[in-house]
């Protein structure tokens, strides 16, 4: 076994998710950029709690998890969200985690629904129930190049409650990155419209919104 691992290291040496340097899954320099803190922002009528400030390095870590499915990068994203839970003091509430779903095409490409997968692991680690109750009900475009107004328009009416889903309790929306909050506030709107209680959102990263 040891032999195979050594052989694997020769062929596919461990590289830093942030800067690709050979050695650790995250090098000391990138660890300084991806070191969970605690940020809390209020967007529309949703409180969003996040662990890491978005940066080029954070972007690479998110991509390594999301697009390449690298377990070590998943762990960094999960750890950031769990760190936020340890500081956000949700303890008095009847918490239920609701992941932001991916589009069917992203799901096919990645072989999983990224946030749903991450959220179920977080639920297991924190012993919190997860309710995968949202779905995308129409096509949305990639948000990365869009400004705040275009993002909001892109997301209007994009989510629906899955058939038969009725997540009770104090719902916490889980996502990887919050930028303008267009995705999260739209998801919260759909849940609230059905009389459900959205308490807050927790994301791994927070990015400065484009104006
Ligand atoms: Zn690095």
């Amino acid at each position: 076994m040891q032999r195979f691992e050594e052989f694997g290291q020769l062929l596919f040496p461990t590289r830093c998710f942030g800067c690709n340097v050979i050695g650790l899954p995250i090098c000391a320099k990138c660890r300084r950029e991806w070191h969970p803190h605690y940020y809390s922002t209020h967007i529309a009528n949703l409180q969003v709690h996040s662990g890491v400030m978005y940066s080029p390095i954070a972007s690479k870590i998110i991509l390594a998890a999301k697009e390449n499915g690298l377990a070590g990068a998943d762990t960094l994203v999960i750890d950031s969200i769990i760190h936020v839970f340890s500081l956000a003091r949700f303890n008095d509430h009847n918490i239920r985690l609701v992941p932001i779903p991916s589009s069917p095409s992203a799901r096919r490409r990645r072989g999983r629904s990224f946030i749903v997968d991450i959220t179920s692991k977080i639920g297991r680690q924190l012993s919190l129930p997860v309710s995968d109750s949202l779905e995308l009900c129409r096509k949305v475009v990639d948000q990365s190049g869009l400004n705040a107004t275009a993002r909001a328009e892109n997301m209007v009416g994009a989510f629906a409650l899955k058939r038969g889903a009725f997540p009770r309790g104090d719902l916490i929306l889980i996502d990887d990155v919050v930028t303008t909050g267009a995705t999260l506030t739209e998801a919260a709107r759909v849940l609230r419209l059905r009389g459900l209680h959205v308490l807050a959102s927790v994301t791994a990263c927070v990015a400065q919104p484009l104006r």
Side-chain angles (χ1 to χ4, degrees):
M1 199 62 205
Q2 181 80 34
R3 272 253 168 102
F4 278 119
E5 277 166 23
E6 281 168 12
F7 187 58
Q9 279 294 320
L10 283 176
L11 283 178
F12 307 108
T14 303
R15 289 176 181 274
C16 170
F17 295 123
C19 67
N20 224 25
V21 73
I22 291 174
L24 296 168
I26 183 159
C27 73
K29 183 170 71 70
C30 293
R31 179 46 98 177
R32 281 197 291 276
E33 293 273 335
W34 187 283
H35 184 76
H37 293 272
Y38 177 57
Y39 303 95
S40 194
T41 42
H42 202 78
I43 302 168
N45 43 14
L46 186 68
Q47 196 69 36
V48 184
H49 309 273
S50 314
V52 173
M53 190 58 76
Y54 201 62
S55 66
I57 286 163
S59 149
K60 288 196 182 122
I61 289 168
I62 296 272
L63 282 178
K66 192 147 87 172
E67 297 299 342
N68 301 328
L70 299 174
D74 270 12
T75 303
L76 291 173
V77 174
I78 290 168
D79 288 351
S80 173
I81 291 175
I82 286 178
H83 174 81
V84 173
F85 269 91
S86 74
L87 295 174
R89 298 172 191 277
F90 295 129
N91 301 349
D92 297 341
H93 300 272
N94 177 21
I95 301 296
R96 188 172 290 268
L97 310 180
V98 178
I100 296 295
S102 314
S103 68
S105 64
R107 247 185 354 249
R108 277 194 300 275
R109 192 176 67 242
R110 297 168 186 157
R112 61 170 175 166
S113 189
F114 173 56
I115 301 298
V116 173
D117 196 33
I118 292 279
T119 304
S120 67
K121 286 171 182 151
I122 292 165
R124 278 201 293 279
Q125 286 194 43
L126 297 177
S127 301
L128 289 172
V130 174
S131 179
D132 176 19
S133 44
L134 288 171
E135 62 186 359
L136 270 172
C137 53
R138 65 164 176 79
K139 266 199 152 58
V140 293
V141 300
D142 178 42
Q143 306 247 74
S144 46
L146 304 180
N147 68 17
T149 315
R151 282 178 186 232
E153 282 166 5
N154 186 37
M155 293 314 296
V156 171
F159 292 116
L161 205 55
K162 279 186 182 170
R163 184 191 289 267
F166 195 81
R168 290 165 204 280
D170 302 311
L171 308 181
I172 297 192
L173 297 169
I174 305 292
D175 207 356
D176 51 355
V177 184
V178 59
T179 307
T180 63
T183 302
L184 292 171
T185 51
E186 181 58 20
R189 190 188 67 79
V190 166
L191 292 164
R192 286 168 174 162
L193 206 62
R194 302 291 287 267
L196 300 166
H197 179 237
V198 180
L199 177 68
S201 171
V202 172
T203 66
C205 291
V206 54
Q208 299 297 330
L210 301 170
R211 300 287 170 198

